[in-house]
Amino acid sequence: MKKNNSSVEGPDGLVYTARLPLSSATLHWLAGLIRGHLKKIGSRWRALSAGKIAAIVLAVLRCDQRPGDLAGGNGIHRTTVTRWVREAVGLLAARAPRVDRALKKITRTGGGVVLLDGTLVRTRRRTGTQNRKNYSGKHKHHGLLVIALTDDKGRLLWVSAARPGRTSEITACRHDKLTQKLRAAGLGAIADLGFIGLDDSDSDADPAVITGYKAARNRPLTRGQKLSNKALAAVRAPVERGFAHLKNWRVLGKIRTDPKWATALVRALLVLTNREVAR
């Protein structure tokens, strides 16, 4: 029996050149990171150079290119591309800032508040019991909840671990002890109405989480409360810009891998996003 190892697309696959919408500084920085890792682990040979490996990794993360297509265009195997991507994501995620260090940095620079919000990263529907916990009743689709902190200009400071979509934002913040860490750093956080009830400290103390006013069926908002909500919405608007920068990485469009890997992926994209925004 003859073994057929040719690709599904056929032996005469077409190769094309595409533009990667990222700066060369990010490419060179990631290539240096990979080069240092290879030296550290004593890997003397790879099928491609560190610069080309970095370009392939960024193509997967930014444009959600299929590993099989990139492998065919570079003369390597699909599993090699997948291994390189996971290796680079691990290196990047290890450089993501911790929440306490990020808050202390804001304090040192003279900042007084941070912006707090959550977003849902879509995932493919899973079978069995794994399907239920990832379904968000608020957004009406499957995904993973990620909490983020930004500064007053929308620059991402920290992202939480990815949790099942059915998790509420308040539960995720309490699991990370955000209010205690904000008080320890002497900072306050501005959040939307979804975070009402998060700060359950003494009423005499200054609030660590500032939210607007929510209307009730028998208690409409006063004119002053409406103006206060409008002012808070204007202040916290930059946090949406931070999420927009993060979701420019198309690999987050709908995660097709194990959701447990999503935490490392989101934190790796945080590092790359900050490199791109700060250039």
Side-chain angles (χ1 to χ4, degrees):
M1 181 176 179
K2 184 178 180 180
K3 185 180 293 186
N4 184 12
N5 291 326
S6 61
S7 61
V8 178
E9 290 80 3
D12 300 325
L14 299 177
V15 179
Y16 68 96
T17 303
R19 176 179 175 271
L20 190 60
L22 292 171
S23 66
S24 57
T26 301
L27 174 65
H28 296 325
W29 178 78
L30 181 58
L33 195 65
I34 294 173
R35 198 175 293 112
H37 173 69
L38 296 180
K39 184 177 180 180
K40 181 179 179 180
I41 64 177
S43 179
R44 295 178 294 176
W45 181 86
R46 288 286 172 96
L48 298 176
S49 64
K52 291 185 177 180
I53 293 175
I56 289 175
V57 170
L58 291 175
V60 172
L61 299 180
R62 186 68 170 190
C63 302
D64 198 18
Q65 290 282 357
R66 292 175 56 191
D69 295 339
L70 291 171
N74 290 276
I76 52 180
H77 198 272
R78 178 185 60 82
T79 57
T80 302
V81 175
T82 303
R83 186 175 68 252
W84 286 347
V85 171
R86 288 185 173 268
E87 183 180 51
V89 165
L91 293 174
L92 292 168
R95 284 160 174 77
R98 290 170 43 183
V99 59
D100 50 351
R101 294 178 181 176
L103 294 177
K104 288 179 181 179
K105 184 177 180 180
I106 292 294
T107 304
R108 287 196 303 268
T109 56
V113 295
V114 293
L115 306 180
L116 171 65
D117 203 356
T119 188
L120 196 78
V121 179
R122 289 198 176 197
T123 58
R124 287 189 180 274
R125 181 174 179 175
R126 306 186 75 192
T127 58
T129 57
Q130 297 295 328
N131 171 50
R132 300 175 185 174
K133 63 181 181 180
N134 288 338
Y135 183 77
S136 171
K138 176 182 177 181
H139 297 88
K140 300 298 187 293
H141 57 71
H142 296 78
L144 298 171
L145 176 67
V146 176
I147 303 295
L149 291 174
T150 71
D151 61 9
D152 55 355
K153 295 183 180 179
R155 290 187 289 259
L156 288 166
L157 303 174
W158 168 81
V159 291
S160 70
R163 294 186 173 88
R166 69 180 181 185
T167 308
S168 70
E169 294 171 334
I170 291 180
T171 301
C173 291
R174 285 176 175 166
H175 186 274
D176 291 323
K177 300 180 180 180
L178 273 184
T179 54
Q180 294 92 321
K181 292 175 181 177
L182 285 168
R183 291 187 184 281
L187 296 174
I190 298 177
D192 60 14
L193 299 180
F195 292 86
I196 291 179
L198 172 60
D199 190 4
D200 52 1
S201 59
D202 187 6
S203 58
D204 296 333
D206 293 333
V209 180
I210 304 171
T211 59
Y213 298 94
K214 182 182 291 186
R217 181 174 299 179
N218 58 349
R219 191 180 68 253
L221 296 180
T222 64
R223 184 173 181 275
Q225 289 173 338
K226 291 180 180 179
L227 291 175
S228 177
N229 283 354
K230 187 175 180 180
L232 283 175
V235 172
R236 61 171 299 276
V239 73
E240 302 297 340
R241 190 183 310 125
F243 279 129
H245 285 308
L246 187 65
K247 290 187 176 182
N248 276 338
W249 301 89
R250 297 178 187 173
V251 72
L252 288 180
K254 186 174 285 186
I255 298 176
R256 293 184 295 269
T257 185
D258 187 356
K260 293 181 180 179
W261 188 64
T263 297
L265 177 61
V266 171
R267 289 176 175 170
L269 296 181
L270 166 67
V271 176
L272 290 174
T273 299
N274 288 338
R275 297 286 306 185
E276 278 291 296
V277 173
R279 64 184 172 89

